[in-house]
Amino acid sequence: FLNLPPVTITIMTKLTHTPPPPPSSAPCSKSDMASLLRLPTIDIVDRLNAMLDAERQPHYRCRDYLHHRAPSRRQSSSSSSRNYPCSSRSSSRCRSKEMTITPESRTKIVKWLYDCVDYLELQRECVAVAMSYVDRFMSSSNNNNNNNNSMVGKVECYILRYNHLLSGPEHKKEKAMVDTAKKSKLQGGLLWGTPGIVVVVPPSTEEDAKEYASDSRDIGKRPDGVEAMHLSERALEEAGLGGLAQQKRGGKLQNMDTALLRTACGGDEDLLRSVLGVK
């Protein structure tokens, strides 16, 4: 059997010992499991090998995320712990618990999906396909040790930090920066003060951010680099960074204060400090 695993050989043995259907039987649809039993043995072997090869690919590979032990976190600040229904002493533990999927919760997802497909009169195989996406996504999320939060609903933004950015028409370098951003159709926002921050959001790309950093150096305002960070798409929209809100401003970057930047960070104080470059 072409060096197939023992489990597959067992399945193959059962399939090959299934009596063939009578010649007068009507052909089954491809979605019908019975159609597999009507195939020649060599075709069954080829299909099983194709499925096994696909499962060995990195984007189909699943890990045991149900029993994955989340890394320990430092206790969050008192301001961020107000978002959780637990004391500040146990907020880190509560947050890790809330973000863990257990075998019981996965079973509930499967049962809910079966209820949906039965109500909508869909094929029940849809549940297996849907859970394949869930398992592969959760497996990839566990592999990212630098980010314990789910990436769902987040977009990659680019942060440029300056020693200071002063507001007002009398500050010609800063005015030139604003005009350059508008001319290049850069999407995002600008925090005045010390430090000065430019947040570049999609659809502007990393290349756009780097080009703007180069333009800033030519103007005389040197950023300390371009750092990629993931921010909530919903929070960015609420803060008016990019998109339709920027079109209504005539293409200008959003003028931000610390409160508005906190909104763009989804109220996450740790993320806000990371954006500001404060340790």
Side-chain angles (χ1 to χ4, degrees):
F1 285 116
L2 304 180
N3 297 322
L4 292 174
V7 175
T8 307
I9 294 177
T10 303
I11 297 173
M12 284 293 304
T13 304
K14 293 181 179 180
L15 290 176
T16 54
H17 282 76
T18 303
S24 59
S25 62
C28 297
S29 64
K30 292 182 179 180
S31 62
D32 191 348
M33 184 62 186
S35 63
L36 179 62
L37 306 179
R38 292 179 169 83
L39 294 174
T41 302
I42 188 64
D43 290 344
I44 297 176
V45 172
D46 288 341
R47 292 193 179 195
L48 288 174
N49 274 326
M51 288 188 290
L52 289 171
D53 288 340
E55 289 178 355
R56 295 188 188 104
Q57 300 300 317
H59 49 281
Y60 282 106
R61 193 172 299 158
C62 291
R63 297 182 181 273
D64 185 12
Y65 66 87
L66 294 176
H67 301 92
H68 176 78
R69 193 177 185 87
S72 60
R73 298 185 179 190
R74 292 183 304 174
Q75 182 177 337
S76 60
S77 63
S78 58
S79 57
S80 61
S81 66
R82 287 195 291 267
N83 296 327
Y84 297 89
C86 53
S87 65
S88 59
R89 183 178 180 181
S90 60
S91 61
S92 177
R93 187 187 314 165
C94 290
R95 225 184 306 185
S96 296
K97 187 175 181 180
E98 286 180 4
M99 302 180 72
T100 300
I101 291 185
T102 63
E104 292 76 17
S105 60
R106 185 183 183 278
T107 300
K108 290 181 180 179
I109 295 174
V110 174
K111 290 181 178 179
W112 177 77
L113 287 174
Y114 274 120
D115 290 340
C116 290
V117 298
D118 290 342
Y119 179 80
L120 297 172
E121 299 181 354
L122 302 174
Q123 293 182 358
R124 300 196 106 202
E125 288 81 358
C126 293
V127 176
V129 176
M131 290 309 300
S132 174
Y133 281 110
V134 172
D135 292 337
R136 283 152 52 190
F137 172 77
M138 293 304 302
S139 297
S140 63
S141 297
N142 269 333
N143 288 337
N144 189 354
N145 294 325
N146 295 324
N147 185 11
N148 298 321
N149 297 323
S150 170
M151 288 294 100
V152 174
K154 294 188 177 182
V155 293
E156 189 171 56
C157 303
Y158 305 99
I159 311 300
L160 288 76
R161 300 185 188 88
Y162 300 80
N163 184 40
H164 63 270
L165 293 176
L166 304 178
S167 177
E170 67 275 12
H171 302 289
K172 296 183 179 180
K173 292 182 180 179
E174 283 83 347
K175 184 178 182 301
M177 285 180 58
V178 173
D179 294 340
T180 300
K182 180 179 178 180
K183 184 178 180 180
S184 60
K185 298 181 180 179
L186 195 72
Q187 301 282 307
L190 189 152
L191 174 71
W192 301 103
T194 305
I197 305 291
V198 173
V199 181
V200 180
V201 304
S204 295
T205 64
E206 183 177 10
E207 291 301 318
D208 295 329
K210 290 181 178 179
E211 184 176 349
Y212 184 70
S214 177
D215 292 338
S216 297
R217 285 191 288 268
D218 294 339
I219 292 171
K221 303 296 293 186
R222 181 181 296 274
D224 63 359
V226 176
E227 181 178 357
M229 288 190 179
H230 288 88
L231 302 179
S232 166
E233 188 173 7
R234 185 174 180 179
L236 293 174
E237 183 179 352
E238 185 179 350
L241 272 66
L244 183 60
Q246 184 153 340
Q247 292 181 19
K248 292 181 178 179
R249 294 193 300 270
K252 293 183 178 180
L253 295 176
Q254 173 74 298
N255 288 325
M256 298 187 296
D257 54 16
T258 305
L260 192 58
L261 181 58
R262 179 180 290 106
T263 300
C265 294
D268 188 328
E269 294 293 331
D270 291 335
L271 181 58
L272 176 62
R273 286 195 290 270
S274 296
V275 172
L276 292 173
V278 177
K279 297 182 180 180

